[in-house]
Amino acid sequence: MEDHGEPRDYLKLHFLVFLWGFTGVLGELIDLPSVELVFYRCLLASVTLSVILRHKLRVPIGRAVAMFATGGIIGLHWVLFFLAVKIANVSVCMVGAATISLWTALLEPVMVPGRVLKRMDLAFGALVIAAVAIIFQSEMQYAVGFLVAIAAAIAAAVFSIINGAFAKHTPHRVIAWYELTGACVFCALCLPISARWLSEGRGLDLVPGPMDWVWLVVLAEVCTVYAYSEYVSLLKRLSVFTTNFANNLEPVYGIILGGLILGDYHHLGAGFYLGAALIAVLVLAHTRMSRRKRLTIG
């Protein structure tokens, strides 16, 4: 799919990426294990969309099942994302997430019939990996967290490619409801695993504190109901690779917000600024090249 977006679509995309950059900070602020955190995020978001949509959720049964199942992949992505935050830190999680563009470039030709591997996309993705390596060079003590974040990025690439097909036929909020409901059910099934292995000895933890509820509402309503449904809407006009490549600014926003809110300035050395600047330049260059190609074709 080639890009058919207007300038306001690219601006909205980068605003959504900024909001997603805040989710890592919220994951650090919310004192719940990753599975319980994502369970509440998806539950609150699904209920909100149910109220908004009411009787507009009818779709063909095959598509409904496919979107519901895709929600499981989204749930896995978010669980891995917040797990990386918990076992490492916001900075490590965010730089791992930046690899999504490379995984998208590699996986889309495999998953989408007729799609070929574009050398430009692969080259941009590889350059992002180089930028991530520059940022990460002083963080190798968090190798496990980094690998978990990369696994989260692979899951994100897979569901983004799948969503590119859903967005052609189904309203974006309807897609979001089915997928968030599927993610909620996935997390509910994973609660025993969380209680046994992921809760640091706390067992099943389903009782958020007062401030946890505040941050959960922000996470669910602003960073999920609004940001996620608008992201799906943009897939009607922007390519999967363009949207995922813009997501490479998420670690930049996330680490900056982590520094401002959580005081993680000791992670922001020269390597961070060099890598972050390289990512920003690459995102802007790719966006400009994509738009120029669209105008040439049009």
Side-chain angles (χ1 to χ4, degrees):
M1 170 182 152
E2 303 297 343
D3 288 335
H4 300 283
E6 299 297 329
R8 63 177 178 271
D9 291 324
Y10 293 95
L11 291 174
K12 177 181 283 188
L13 173 61
H14 286 281
F15 175 65
L16 298 180
V17 172
F18 175 81
L19 291 180
W20 285 330
F22 190 52
T23 59
V25 175
L26 291 173
E28 187 70 28
L29 293 173
I30 298 170
D31 187 26
L32 287 175
S34 59
V35 175
E36 285 89 328
L37 190 160
V38 178
F39 171 76
Y40 276 116
R41 174 186 191 175
C42 296
L43 179 63
L44 293 172
S46 179
V47 170
T48 299
L49 285 170
S50 297
V51 174
I52 294 173
L53 295 170
R54 297 184 182 180
H55 304 297
K56 301 178 181 179
L57 293 170
R58 291 184 179 180
V59 297
I61 185 65
R63 194 183 310 162
V65 171
M67 291 188 294
F68 186 83
T70 302
I73 303 175
I74 295 169
L76 176 63
H77 160 68
W78 281 334
V79 167
L80 292 173
F81 177 88
F82 288 115
L83 182 61
V85 171
K86 300 292 185 181
I87 65 178
N89 56 43
V90 175
S91 302
V92 170
C93 179
M94 289 299 183
V95 294
T99 62
I100 186 174
S101 58
L102 178 62
W103 304 121
T104 302
L106 293 174
L107 292 173
E108 197 170 15
V110 176
M111 296 176 61
V112 180
R115 190 61 51 87
V116 297
L117 182 62
K118 298 178 181 178
R119 282 182 288 183
M120 184 188 79
D121 290 351
L122 186 59
F124 271 94
L127 288 171
V128 168
I129 295 296
V132 168
I134 293 172
I135 294 175
F136 190 69
Q137 61 185 349
S138 62
E139 304 287 348
M140 287 307 295
Q141 66 269 33
Y142 298 117
V144 174
F146 188 59
L147 292 175
V148 172
I150 289 176
I154 294 173
V158 170
F159 79 71
S160 296
I161 294 168
I162 296 172
N163 271 344
F166 292 150
K168 299 175 183 177
H169 309 289
T170 309
H172 59 283
R173 287 192 177 91
V174 175
I175 296 173
W177 183 84
Y178 278 98
E179 293 183 341
L180 290 171
T181 303
C184 183
V185 172
F186 170 82
C187 290
L189 294 174
C190 290
L191 287 174
I193 298 174
S194 175
R196 185 172 178 86
W197 288 293
L198 302 178
S199 63
E200 298 179 348
R202 294 158 59 180
L204 189 62
D205 190 353
L206 288 173
V207 185
M211 284 307 300
D212 288 336
W213 279 116
V214 173
W215 299 128
L216 279 169
V217 169
V218 173
L219 179 63
E221 307 304 328
V222 178
C223 299
T224 308
V225 171
Y226 169 73
Y228 183 70
S229 60
E230 289 301 315
Y231 155 76
V232 176
S233 175
L234 287 176
L235 287 174
K236 297 177 184 290
R237 301 178 295 278
L238 301 179
S239 71
V240 172
F241 188 87
T242 294
T243 56
N244 281 349
F245 202 89
N247 281 337
N248 288 312
L249 283 175
E250 182 179 340
V252 179
Y253 297 143
I255 296 173
I256 291 174
L257 289 169
L260 292 174
I261 298 173
L262 302 175
D264 289 342
Y265 288 108
H266 59 283
H267 293 299
L268 305 183
F272 163 77
Y273 292 108
L274 178 60
L278 179 56
I279 289 174
V281 169
L282 288 169
V283 170
L284 293 173
H286 182 269
T287 300
R288 182 169 183 176
M289 290 175 69
S290 295
R291 291 197 65 230
R292 182 179 298 172
K293 184 176 181 181
R294 175 182 65 83
L295 291 173
T296 301
I297 294 174

